[in-house]
Amino acid sequence: MTNFDVVVIGAGLAGLTAAREVRAAGRSVVVLEARDRVAGRNFGGNLADGTPVEMGGQWIGRTQTEVLKLVDELGLKTFPTYADGAAVTLYNGVLTRYADPSFGLSDEGAMEVGRLQQELEALADTVSLSAPWASPSALELDRQTLGEWLRANSAKDEAMAFWGAIVPALFSAEPTEMSLLHFLFYIKSGGMLDNLVSTTGGAQELRVVGGAHRISERLAEELGETVRLNCPVRKISHDDSGVRVGFDGGEVTARRVVVAIPPALAGRLAYEPALPGARDGLTQQMPMGSVIKVQVAYPTPFWRDAGLSGFGFSLDDELSVTMDNSPPDGACGVVVGFFEGAHARSAAGLSPQERRASAVATLVKMFGPEARNPVDYAEQNWMEEEYTRGCYGGRLGAGVWTQYGAALAEPVGRVHWAGAETSDVWNGYMDGAVRSGHRAAAEVLGRLEA
Amino acid sequence: MTNFDVVVIGAGLAGLTAAREVRAAGRSVVVLEARDRVAGRNFGGNLADGTPVEMGGQWIGRTQTEVLKLVDELGLKTFPTYADGAAVTLYNGVLTRYADPSFGLSDEGAMEVGRLQQELEALADTVSLSAPWASPSALELDRQTLGEWLRANSAKDEAMAFWGAIVPALFSAEPTEMSLLHFLFYIKSGGMLDNLVSTTGGAQELRVVGGAHRISERLAEELGETVRLNCPVRKISHDDSGVRVGFDGGEVTARRVVVAIPPALAGRLAYEPALPGARDGLTQQMPMGSVIKVQVAYPTPFWRDAGLSGFGFSLDDELSVTMDNSPPDGACGVVVGFFEGAHARSAAGLSPQERRASAVATLVKMFGPEARNPVDYAEQNWMEEEYTRGCYGGRLGAGVWTQYGAALAEPVGRVHWAGAETSDVWNGYMDGAVRSGHRAAAEVLGRLEA
């Protein structure tokens, strides 16, 4: 069968969710996936001893209601991220242990960070989630980078170091690399900063038993032969009568197409007729973040015995954020850590051995000498992934939202756009991906007769 | 024949220059061009009465020695851009006529612009043309947008209005959309601002008889069957033994490949193996400028009779720069004008009739009521061109040069990069394109035995 009501490009959460709903509505659908696996930016791996670890997106927060609903519908279970005990922060060579939301900053530093956070969130309150470019102060907020705003609004080293590390932790990009408007949109989209950065009570509260990629795998199991792997799409032709989608080795036709891959990758397909300049221009300047995610394994989660949660935050090191990522039964100890933004790009120039040494050196500073001899190390450099080309997602630099934002999710004829980048709620997160799938499915189902 | 020493992708000035030199060295070469014409961002058009007009890049300055040498070698002739008489500037509804380099600014405005220019050029002096990312103050210069620097360094409305119009005139992009480092690199690359903005004595001094696209056409005539039109390349496979280049309808093999298209487009090809993350990341964030070039024709160049050169500069209007673009014999009058940057993006939302009306309204303000009734109008929206996707060229936003710049021209195995964006001298200009062709040809010729 090569003729469908809907063809979906990309078997990540967005595409699979859209396909599921199209099929539930009694319409025929096919999902074309470039890789030999589903789940996109979710990706299950294993340590050498078989312990499953997540090499991509993994956490879910309680306000991420759409992905939680999906998890439940699919019969999957969640469990709380380990977060008992104290966190640690490294700054100027000093390790601070703390059990409050201070991020280990000095009183003065925490006060300055809090002041800036209040100001930023007051600005974020003015941003429209459905049309950021039409917010009352859009031009003013968009012409500045976040870095520019921070430099203009604080001269305190510790606070600036905090923002210089927390922003890459959220975006895998530097404050200079996004507009203030993008930052404000994004934090509002996820319910403001505390929600984004917190484990318990925030976006990192829950994990999925078996790994977050199981969500996509279950969806794909439901969809069966609807999902075709190893089909990198190269071309989309569309006209009044339908769409024709060419991939390596074949072609399908449909009434409508849902492109459920990041804008940076969507721009690389050939379109006939060519896309409007505004849409094409957007895809030229919505780069993906830069991140290398590492898993460092130990015989036991030894930090727990010392009353530590495993949450580490370094304002000094290339590996800037760590969390306890041990399996639910704590049978072994796993720390997950991130090289993000500029750190990821410099760490990409190291050998895996050097990156491991860099990561372990930071863990020793955070968790003591027991961290010195991991039993295993695994890493995932998302910048090298041909069919993702960076995580966590696409961002917009100064000026882009107001010049190109309207093209982000607006269909072009029979071509519809999905993916976490297109969601107004929890943009960039798994929940946003699911929401975008709902929205795209509703779009195509509402127009199939057209 | 499907096997060559070198395959060149793109029959613009860069690619054709490279191909010419490879052939002159006795090596076999093929040029694959996506369009049904050569010359890329140079493009010859005609008014309804047959008068030739240039829809793309057209001017050459006397310090652009490589393209001038090429023009000469190919037996083409240049002629001076018409520049006799006074220029006009519109600002806050007031028309100023002037015959000095003041751009019609008030004394105070000109002094402030001059002060900023001096400061910018002093900063530019510190930038390395061959490796901007390694300049002494690279990080500091790159983390700021040009807009940020301007706002931090001047509070004068008139000066800010000037920069807000002259920057798009040079880049087809707004000051916010590029890093300070990019701006500094670019102006130094072309011999500093006066050189870039001037007609006589600057980058707009000369025109090519028959049009600048004739350079590429002559090169293509020389190269004969070497140049294959209507061959949009889709995939480059490369390994130790050579390269294989797939295009719509065929495939060629070679020892090395020169990719002579803008980075934004080069990133859209499929590569096997996939490109390194740093190179791919660069192509995700080097967007093309936004410009709609218009030609407005009159029975005579009537402004000359009034002692005007045809150079107009508006700080008020969407059509911000005009010049006399009449044929060498002045048989009719043609004004060329530009919608650039944000103006181009908003004007793109108008109908051709509305754009014509907008352009003509500005010309009436500049040149009087005789401008009200043109006999013809032609326009070229470069954002809609599938195989260019914006002019004049690619630019780098805040942070990108220092994070990704090293990947701009560095070969990846047997894959070499050319194009105006990769030149350290006259970057973004025809001269830079020719220089990049020389450089890429030298690279591949030096490594053909490898």
Side-chain angles (χ1 to χ4, degrees):
Chain A
M1 182 173 174
T2 60
N3 185 33
F4 302 86
D5 287 318
V6 178
V7 54
V8 174
I9 299 173
L13 274 176
L16 293 169
T17 301
R20 183 180 192 232
E21 293 188 20
V22 169
R23 204 165 73 159
R27 299 300 193 154
S28 62
V29 60
V30 64
V31 182
L32 301 174
E33 166 58 43
R35 290 185 167 98
D36 60 2
R37 63 168 182 86
V38 299
R41 288 173 258 181
N42 296 131
F43 177 35
N46 290 286
L47 297 176
D49 69 359
T51 302
V53 285
E54 287 156 281
M55 310 304 286
Q58 66 170 89
W59 289 291
I60 298 177
R62 290 202 191 276
T63 67
Q64 294 173 353
T65 51
E66 291 306 312
V67 67
L68 280 174
K69 198 185 304 175
L70 184 60
V71 164
D72 192 53
E73 286 172 14
L74 295 170
L76 294 167
K77 301 290 177 205
T78 60
F79 67 103
T81 305
Y82 187 86
D84 295 345
V88 293
T89 287
L90 282 163
Y91 176 53
N92 281 345
V94 177
L95 183 76
T96 303
R97 179 177 170 137
Y98 59 100
D100 55 25
S102 71
F103 274 97
L105 302 176
S106 70
D107 289 351
E108 193 197 13
M111 194 173 301
E112 179 72 350
V113 164
R115 181 183 70 79
L116 294 165
Q117 178 176 347
Q118 271 192 336
E119 287 191 29
L120 287 165
E121 295 187 348
L123 289 173
D125 258 336
T126 72
V127 172
S128 161
L129 289 182
S130 58
W133 57 91
S135 305
S137 305
L139 284 170
E140 174 66 21
L141 300 174
D142 200 34
R143 71 175 190 174
Q144 307 171 62
T145 69
L146 171 61
E148 176 179 357
W149 187 91
L150 289 169
R151 288 192 294 279
N153 285 277
S154 179
K156 303 285 175 69
D157 287 347
E158 189 181 1
M160 293 302 273
F162 171 84
W163 292 105
I166 203 75
V167 171
L170 292 172
F171 292 85
S172 295
E174 304 297 319
T176 283
E177 297 170 345
M178 69 195 75
S179 77
L180 177 58
L181 181 60
H182 183 72
F183 176 81
L184 299 174
F185 160 75
Y186 195 87
I187 65 170
K188 184 175 184 180
S189 168
M192 298 299 182
L193 272 168
D194 289 344
N195 213 9
L196 295 182
V197 302
S198 299
T199 304
T200 308
Q204 283 71 244
E205 176 156 356
L206 300 170
R207 297 170 60 193
V208 177
V209 176
H213 58 283
R214 289 292 299 140
I215 309 172
S216 290
E217 289 177 356
R218 279 284 169 91
L219 287 169
E221 284 157 24
E222 267 192 12
L223 288 163
E225 292 179 2
T226 295
V227 181
R228 302 194 190 165
L229 303 178
N230 302 304
C231 294
V233 167
R234 305 296 178 188
K235 186 168 185 179
I236 297 175
S237 309
H238 59 112
D239 60 22
D240 287 349
S241 65
V243 301
R244 196 167 67 244
V245 175
F247 55 90
D248 286 357
E251 183 176 287
V252 296
T253 57
R255 316 267 299 277
R256 294 194 173 259
V257 57
V258 174
V259 181
I261 59 180
L265 300 186
R268 294 175 171 185
L269 308 182
Y271 295 83
E272 190 178 1
L275 291 177
R279 168 70 199 183
D280 189 273
L282 175 76
T283 70
Q284 292 183 40
Q285 47 202 314
M286 196 170 189
M288 302 297 283
S290 302
V291 61
I292 302 173
K293 185 179 187 184
V294 307
Q295 315 275 348
V296 190
Y298 299 94
T300 65
F302 63 86
W303 51 89
R304 297 182 182 179
D305 302 332
L308 293 173
S309 66
F311 183 86
F313 186 47
S314 179
L315 312 188
D316 297 346
D317 297 281
E318 290 202 306
L319 193 83
S320 55
V321 178
T322 72
M323 288 179 70
D324 186 318
N325 209 28
S326 309
D329 61 4
C332 68
V334 181
V335 178
V336 60
F338 298 90
F339 297 98
E340 288 155 327
H343 289 152
R345 297 172 203 134
S346 55
L350 305 176
S351 68
Q353 291 73 23
E354 290 169 324
R355 274 192 295 274
R356 172 177 168 147
S358 167
V360 167
T362 301
L363 296 182
V364 168
K365 289 195 279 181
M366 289 174 165
F367 304 119
E370 275 190 89
R372 198 175 310 279
N373 298 110
V375 293
D376 202 0
Y377 171 86
E379 62 173 28
Q380 176 75 4
N381 178 342
W382 283 94
M383 300 170 278
E384 297 294 331
E385 282 285 305
E386 183 177 12
Y387 295 118
T388 302
R389 281 303 185 188
C391 280
Y392 311 114
R395 70 177 177 281
L396 296 176
V400 187
W401 261 118
T402 44
Q403 290 290 302
Y404 295 94
L408 181 55
E410 180 68 22
V412 176
R414 293 172 177 272
V415 184
H416 301 255
W417 315 104
E421 282 78 8
T422 67
S423 181
D424 51 2
V425 174
W426 282 107
N427 187 286
Y429 285 76
M430 290 192 270
D431 193 62
V434 172
R435 287 172 193 268
S436 80
H438 294 325
R439 193 254 311 139
E443 272 178 20
V444 295
L445 289 171
R447 301 187 203 187
L448 275 185
E449 313 312 328
Chain B
M1 183 170 175
T2 61
N3 186 32
F4 302 87
D5 288 318
V6 177
V7 53
V8 174
I9 300 172
L13 274 177
L16 293 170
T17 301
R20 182 183 194 228
E21 295 190 18
V22 168
R23 204 167 72 159
R27 300 299 195 153
S28 62
V29 61
V30 64
V31 181
L32 301 174
E33 167 56 45
R35 287 184 169 98
D36 61 2
R37 64 169 181 87
V38 299
R41 287 174 259 182
N42 296 131
F43 177 34
N46 291 285
L47 297 176
D49 69 358
T51 303
V53 285
E54 289 157 281
M55 311 305 285
Q58 66 171 88
W59 289 291
I60 298 178
R62 291 204 190 275
T63 67
Q64 296 174 353
T65 52
E66 291 305 314
V67 67
L68 280 175
K69 198 184 304 173
L70 184 60
V71 164
D72 193 51
E73 285 172 13
L74 295 171
L76 294 166
K77 302 289 176 206
T78 61
F79 68 103
T81 306
Y82 187 87
D84 295 345
V88 293
T89 288
L90 282 163
Y91 176 52
N92 280 346
V94 177
L95 182 76
T96 304
R97 179 179 170 136
Y98 59 100
D100 55 25
S102 71
F103 275 97
L105 303 176
S106 69
D107 289 352
E108 192 196 15
M111 192 173 302
E112 178 72 350
V113 163
R115 181 183 71 78
L116 294 166
Q117 179 176 350
Q118 274 194 335
E119 287 191 30
L120 287 165
E121 294 188 349
L123 288 174
D125 258 337
T126 72
V127 171
S128 161
L129 289 181
S130 58
W133 56 90
S135 305
S137 304
L139 284 170
E140 175 64 21
L141 300 173
D142 200 34
R143 72 175 190 174
Q144 305 171 63
T145 68
L146 171 62
E148 174 179 0
W149 187 90
L150 289 168
R151 287 192 293 279
N153 285 276
S154 179
K156 303 283 175 70
D157 286 347
E158 190 181 1
M160 293 302 272
F162 171 84
W163 292 104
I166 203 75
V167 171
L170 292 173
F171 293 86
S172 295
E174 303 298 318
T176 283
E177 297 171 344
M178 70 194 74
S179 78
L180 178 58
L181 180 60
H182 183 73
F183 176 81
L184 299 174
F185 159 76
Y186 195 87
I187 65 171
K188 184 175 185 180
S189 170
M192 297 299 182
L193 271 167
D194 289 345
N195 213 10
L196 295 182
V197 302
S198 299
T199 304
T200 308
Q204 283 73 242
E205 176 155 358
L206 301 170
R207 297 171 58 192
V208 178
V209 177
H213 58 283
R214 289 292 300 141
I215 310 172
S216 290
E217 289 177 355
R218 279 284 169 93
L219 286 169
E221 284 157 23
E222 267 193 11
L223 288 163
E225 293 180 2
T226 295
V227 180
R228 303 193 189 166
L229 303 177
N230 302 304
C231 294
V233 168
R234 303 297 178 187
K235 184 168 185 178
I236 297 176
S237 308
H238 59 112
D239 60 22
D240 288 349
S241 64
V243 302
R244 197 167 65 244
V245 175
F247 55 91
D248 285 358
E251 182 177 287
V252 295
T253 57
R255 316 266 300 276
R256 293 193 173 262
V257 57
V258 175
V259 181
I261 58 180
L265 300 187
R268 294 174 172 185
L269 308 182
Y271 295 83
E272 190 178 2
L275 289 176
R279 168 72 200 181
D280 188 273
L282 175 76
T283 70
Q284 291 183 38
Q285 48 202 312
M286 194 169 190
M288 303 297 283
S290 303
V291 62
I292 302 173
K293 185 179 186 183
V294 307
Q295 316 275 349
V296 190
Y298 300 93
T300 65
F302 62 86
W303 51 90
R304 297 182 183 180
D305 302 331
L308 294 173
S309 66
F311 183 87
F313 187 48
S314 179
L315 312 188
D316 298 346
D317 297 281
E318 290 203 308
L319 193 81
S320 55
V321 178
T322 72
M323 289 179 69
D324 185 317
N325 209 28
S326 309
D329 61 3
C332 67
V334 181
V335 179
V336 59
F338 300 90
F339 297 98
E340 290 155 326
H343 289 152
R345 298 172 202 133
S346 55
L350 305 176
S351 69
Q353 291 73 21
E354 290 168 323
R355 274 192 295 274
R356 174 178 168 147
S358 167
V360 168
T362 301
L363 296 183
V364 169
K365 290 195 277 180
M366 289 175 166
F367 304 118
E370 274 192 88
R372 199 178 308 278
N373 298 111
V375 293
D376 202 2
Y377 171 86
E379 62 172 28
Q380 175 76 4
N381 178 343
W382 284 95
M383 300 170 279
E384 298 293 331
E385 281 286 303
E386 183 177 12
Y387 295 118
T388 303
R389 280 305 186 189
C391 280
Y392 312 115
R395 70 179 178 279
L396 296 177
V400 186
W401 261 118
T402 44
Q403 292 288 302
Y404 295 95
L408 181 55
E410 178 71 20
V412 175
R414 293 171 176 274
V415 185
H416 300 254
W417 315 104
E421 282 78 8
T422 68
S423 181
D424 49 4
V425 173
W426 282 108
N427 187 287
Y429 285 76
M430 288 192 269
D431 194 62
V434 172
R435 288 172 191 268
S436 80
H438 294 325
R439 193 254 311 139
E443 272 178 20
V444 295
L445 289 171
R447 302 187 203 186
L448 275 184
E449 314 311 328

